[in-house]
Amino acid sequence: MTTRLCLVRHGETAWNAEHRVQGQLDIPLSEVGLKQAQAVGRALKEEHFDAIYSSDLVRARQTAEPIANFLSIKMLLEKDLRERHYGIFERLTYAEVKVRYPEDYARFEAREPDYAFRTGESLKDFSARSIAVISKIVNEHKDKSILVFTHGGVLDKLYRFITGLPLSAPRNFGIPNAGLNRIEITPSGWQIRSWADVAHLERALDDLPE
């Protein structure tokens, strides 16, 4: 019994290009991102999927729309697939955060599991949310093929969950905009089959470390 997941990070936004913190703010795709969404659709249109899930944030939904429309599969919106809540960092560039909130930035850069941006979400809580929602999707579609559109932070937490990389460890893997990430779940466990595939894209920015 094998459940297959293809997880896609949303396409590029203007804020991605500016290194501006989006978090749970609802920022749409840029022209580059819209083209990436079309490229994802072309790359996946010959594949079979039993369900398509997306974060309810517009940048994920816009990335999912081309393939959902092509396959005539209703997109299922899931709030818990959202990006981490970055609290006081949201709307600022990382350079601005470093100047305005140096102590907070140091705790963020150190990847403290309990640090929550004063009004945001800790790594520990965000990881628990991310793994819980992906596990719920898997349990509801056992032995099926599922397509999931989400955010860089959720993908980070899933990779760490599968590989055992601690939350506090530096990221040593890519999370590009509109990249394809394939996971298989069998009775023996979760396995990464491919990660950060961008063969279908002309260009892709990598996600910034948290």
Side-chain angles (χ1 to χ4, degrees):
M1 222 175 145
T2 301
T3 304
R4 294 175 177 83
L5 285 177
C6 179
L7 300 112
V8 185
R9 184 186 172 209
H10 64 80
E12 186 177 315
T13 70
W15 283 27
N16 288 147
E18 296 171 4
H19 294 187
R20 190 173 297 280
V21 183
Q22 297 177 121
Q24 295 191 1
L25 299 178
D26 215 6
I27 310 305
L29 295 182
S30 64
E31 287 301 315
V32 170
L34 291 170
K35 290 177 181 176
Q36 290 173 333
Q38 293 292 334
V40 168
R42 290 192 296 271
L44 298 177
K45 67 180 183 179
E46 302 301 327
E47 298 190 31
H48 169 78
F49 294 102
D50 296 287
I52 297 176
Y53 283 81
S54 175
S55 157
D56 63 343
L57 296 180
V58 67
R59 58 191 185 270
R61 289 189 282 113
Q62 286 181 308
T63 310
E65 280 169 0
I67 188 62
N69 291 338
F70 184 85
L71 297 178
S72 298
I73 297 177
K74 181 182 178 182
M75 189 192 312
L76 302 172
L77 300 183
E78 176 53 75
K79 184 177 179 179
D80 282 345
L81 286 170
R82 285 184 178 189
E83 183 59 278
R84 182 181 181 186
H85 194 312
Y86 280 80
I88 59 172
F89 284 24
E90 291 185 353
R91 290 187 170 85
L92 302 174
T93 66
Y94 283 94
E96 289 168 341
V97 169
K98 195 170 185 178
V99 172
R100 190 175 299 186
Y101 303 113
E103 293 181 7
D104 292 274
Y105 187 84
R107 297 184 67 185
F108 156 77
E109 197 170 38
R111 302 187 62 87
E112 290 185 17
D114 292 313
Y115 174 65
F117 308 101
R118 304 189 201 178
T119 57
E121 191 173 20
S122 71
L123 270 180
K124 187 169 66 177
D125 289 346
F126 176 43
S127 180
R129 167 167 69 84
S130 300
I131 302 311
V133 68
I134 298 295
S135 297
K136 183 183 81 167
I137 290 170
V138 167
N139 289 333
E140 289 177 354
H141 301 279
K142 289 182 178 178
D143 206 26
K144 303 292 185 182
S145 292
I146 315 302
L147 183 55
V148 177
F149 290 83
T150 186
H151 302 264
V154 175
L155 291 166
D156 178 285
K157 302 305 162 285
L158 181 61
Y159 187 100
R160 291 170 188 272
F161 168 72
I162 296 171
T163 64
L165 186 69
L167 293 178
S168 57
R171 178 158 67 84
N172 58 6
F173 52 94
I175 313 178
N177 283 120
L180 308 181
N181 309 280
R182 298 180 188 271
I183 308 294
E184 287 186 357
I185 302 94
T186 67
S188 60
W190 297 58
Q191 294 181 314
I192 296 174
R193 290 305 184 194
S194 66
W195 192 263
D197 176 6
V198 291
H200 55 295
L201 301 175
E202 292 182 9
R203 54 167 277 193
L205 293 176
D206 190 79
D207 190 31
L208 290 166
E210 290 169 357

